[in-house]
Amino acid sequence: MFSFVESATSYPESQMEDCISSALSNPATKSISKDLITNYCDCALKAIFDENKDIRESGYECAKKNFN
C-alpha cells in the first residue's frame, strides 16, 4: 500500500507571499525568475520556522543555494 502526502510547511502562507512580493520588488533581484525566488523563500522560511535558524543566516545560505 502506498500513500502520497503533499509536503507540509510550518510557516504561514502569508509569509511566503510577503517574501516573494518583497523579492520581486527589490531592484537587486529584478532579473531573477519567480520560480527561483519561490524556491529561495521556501528554503529560507523552512530554515527559520522548521529549524529555528537565524533569519540573516538562513537568507544568506538559501540565496547561495538558489541564486548562484
Side-chain angles (χ1 to χ4, degrees), residues 2-54:
F2 292 98
S3 68
F4 295 95
V5 177
E6 287 190 39
S7 62
T9 57
S10 64
Y11 57 82
E13 185 63 30
S14 62
Q15 291 289 326
M16 176 62 98
E17 293 166 5
D18 290 346
C19 180
I20 293 170
S21 176
S22 178
L24 289 173
S25 65
N26 184 337
T29 57
K30 216 156 194 72
S31 64
I32 297 173
S33 74
K34 186 174 180 180
D35 285 342
L36 285 177
I37 288 173
T38 300
N39 290 342
Y40 160 77
C41 289
D42 184 58
C43 173
L45 291 169
K46 282 180 181 176
I48 295 163
F49 283 92
D50 294 349
E51 301 166 19
N52 294 319
K53 291 187 177 176
D54 177 72

Side-chain angles (χ1 to χ4, degrees), residues 48 53-60:
I48 295 163
K53 291 187 177 176
D54 177 72
I55 292 171
R56 183 170 291 187
E57 180 182 324
S58 299
Y60 179 72

Side-chain angles (χ1 to χ4, degrees), residues 32 36 40 59-68:
I32 297 173
L36 285 177
Y40 160 77
Y60 179 72
E61 290 299 318
C62 291
K64 286 192 327 186
K65 289 179 189 175
N66 288 282
F67 302 148
N68 287 333

